[in-house]
Amino acid sequence: MAAAGPSVFLLMVNGQVESAQFPEYDDLYCKYCFVYGQDWAPTAGLEEGISQITSKSQDVRQALVWNFPIDVTFKSTNPYGWPQIVLSVYGPDVFGNDVVRGYGVVHVPFSTGRHKRTIPMFVPESTSKLQKFTSWFMGRRPEYTDPKVVAQGEGREVTRVRSQGFITLLFNVVTKDMRKLGYDTGPVDSQGILGPSLP
């Protein structure tokens, strides 16, 4: 009797939210969450997390270093809805209120191996000078009620945003059974590690 082939593939992601560059701000913390399609399900690890508060380094770079670990495994039958990681950075304003300092999103890399990504961050802006002053005075700056909205395209075109800062992520990506299900995961190199497909 022939053994049945796999019906799902696995995507294992670990790494870290390494550091950030926000020249104007200090004492920031980061939240992350994953957004994925309906055919995807987490099987192990954490889908979301919140880091410690970090201060700028005292060197020339003035980096905000978190080294905050990421470790999650997903299963799916379909690559549609490939997971994305949504990042939100928060810190105190002049009144001591926690306000958003940036949102960013990036897909988990499609190819296996070690990947480093630098994600540009952005913040929503008030649409008028009066709203801007009122939000500053009240300590309630514009922010998304659900940060996962940054991973979706719908409705984003009507949101005014401003670029602000960068976050560096490290990913280690491993897949299992994708090739057995007929998905091209790239050629095997001389060391037996799967790499990106060549044109």
Side-chain angles (χ1 to χ4, degrees):
M1 181 180 265
S7 61
V8 298
F9 64 85
L10 296 177
L11 171 67
M12 293 159 270
V13 182
N14 68 31
Q16 62 186 0
V17 180
E18 188 177 71
S19 62
Q21 295 289 330
F22 282 86
E24 300 173 21
Y25 303 110
D26 202 358
D27 300 326
L28 303 181
Y29 65 94
C30 177
K31 293 181 181 180
Y32 77 83
C33 62
F34 284 93
V35 176
Y36 44 85
Q38 62 187 15
D39 291 337
W40 291 79
T43 59
L46 297 174
E47 288 181 73
E48 55 187 39
I50 183 169
S51 75
Q52 76 279 7
I53 295 173
T54 189
S55 297
K56 286 183 183 175
S57 62
Q58 299 301 312
D59 61 4
V60 177
R61 296 181 314 136
Q62 292 192 332
L64 295 148
V65 178
W66 287 299
N67 290 331
F68 185 55
I70 300 168
D71 189 7
V72 66
T73 301
F74 296 97
K75 70 176 180 179
S76 181
T77 58
N78 183 347
Y80 180 77
W82 194 269
Q84 301 175 69
I85 186 168
V86 175
L87 301 156
S88 313
V89 175
Y90 298 87
D93 65 5
V94 293
F95 302 114
N97 300 313
D98 268 0
V99 293
V100 69
R101 296 300 186 196
Y103 294 105
V105 64
V106 67
H107 277 93
V108 170
F110 299 108
S111 61
T112 58
R114 185 175 179 88
H115 306 272
K116 189 172 195 171
R117 298 284 187 265
T118 300
I119 296 99
M121 304 296 282
F122 62 90
V123 289
E125 287 266 284
S126 298
T127 55
S128 72
K129 299 273 187 204
L130 178 61
Q131 284 178 330
K132 194 175 214 170
F133 175 75
T134 304
S135 66
W136 175 84
F137 186 72
M138 302 293 282
R140 297 285 304 154
R141 299 239 169 60
E143 64 181 86
Y144 298 114
T145 54
D146 182 8
K148 292 180 179 181
V149 75
V150 301
Q152 302 162 354
E154 299 134 22
R156 291 224 9 236
E157 70 278 359
V158 297
T159 306
R160 181 181 292 183
V161 297
R162 176 172 44 93
S163 295
Q164 181 168 286
F166 296 89
I167 286 189
T168 302
L169 285 176
L170 282 177
F171 292 103
N172 297 305
V173 178
V174 177
T175 59
K176 181 177 185 278
D177 293 335
M178 285 190 75
R179 193 175 291 271
K180 288 180 183 174
L181 289 171
Y183 297 110
D184 182 14
T185 57
V188 176
D189 71 10
S190 61
Q191 298 169 350
I193 300 170
L194 295 176
S197 296
L198 300 173

